[in-house]
Amino acid sequence: MSNIENDDQEDKPLDPVMENVRRKMMRLQLVSGGIMLLMFMAVLAAIVYKINTRDGKPEAITASGTVVPSDAPIKATATLPDGFAVSAVSQSDGQILFYGVTATGARKALLFDIAAGRIVAEIDVAGN
């Protein structure tokens, strides 16, 4: 008997105030669903764009701003003085420091710049 009473309550039309609230809620639901669909499509478009614009060969950029392509590395030759014996090497920001002793026994540091492709500084080291 209680089931029959519930069916009667569901069939009754809503009062005008509740009907307006229901319509506003449905409109809000449709608008928010449309915005979510639009944002989802934008994310998919961004993913497709990123996939299609990559050439598959990333380029490395050094700290000195030199672009080093992955398929063709930079080739350079550091020409050190004759008889120069290298005892230590250090690299930083696209530059290589060669520390060693010349043929005459003088200690020297040579700074080679990879981007310039030449020795940019010769430092005589004196003292202990």
Side-chain angles (χ1 to χ4, degrees), residues 54-58 70:
R54 279 194 339 193
D55 60 354
K57 296 179 183 175
S70 63

Side-chain angles (χ1 to χ4, degrees), residues 69-126:
S70 63
D71 59 342
I74 294 176
K75 293 183 181 181
T77 303
T79 305
L80 302 175
D82 290 334
F84 186 80
V86 177
S87 59
V89 177
S90 178
Q91 185 271 336
S92 176
D93 291 336
Q95 296 180 335
I96 303 173
L97 176 73
F98 296 98
Y99 178 76
V101 180
T102 63
T104 60
R107 291 183 295 175
K108 194 175 260 196
L110 302 172
L111 185 63
F112 179 79
D113 190 300
I114 297 172
R118 63 183 179 87
I119 301 226
V120 293
E122 286 189 23
I123 302 122
D124 291 323
V125 181

Side-chain angles (χ1 to χ4, degrees), residues 9-26:
Q9 289 176 358
E10 291 177 11
D11 292 339
K12 291 181 185 176
L14 294 173
D15 61 334
V17 174
M18 288 305 293
E19 183 64 25
N20 285 339
V21 170
R22 187 188 72 78
R23 284 184 183 161
K24 285 181 182 179
M25 291 300 291
M26 288 297 291

Side-chain angles (χ1 to χ4, degrees), residues 44-56:
L44 285 180
I47 291 171
V48 169
Y49 173 77
K50 284 287 193 180
I51 289 173
N52 288 335
T53 57
R54 279 194 339 193
D55 60 354

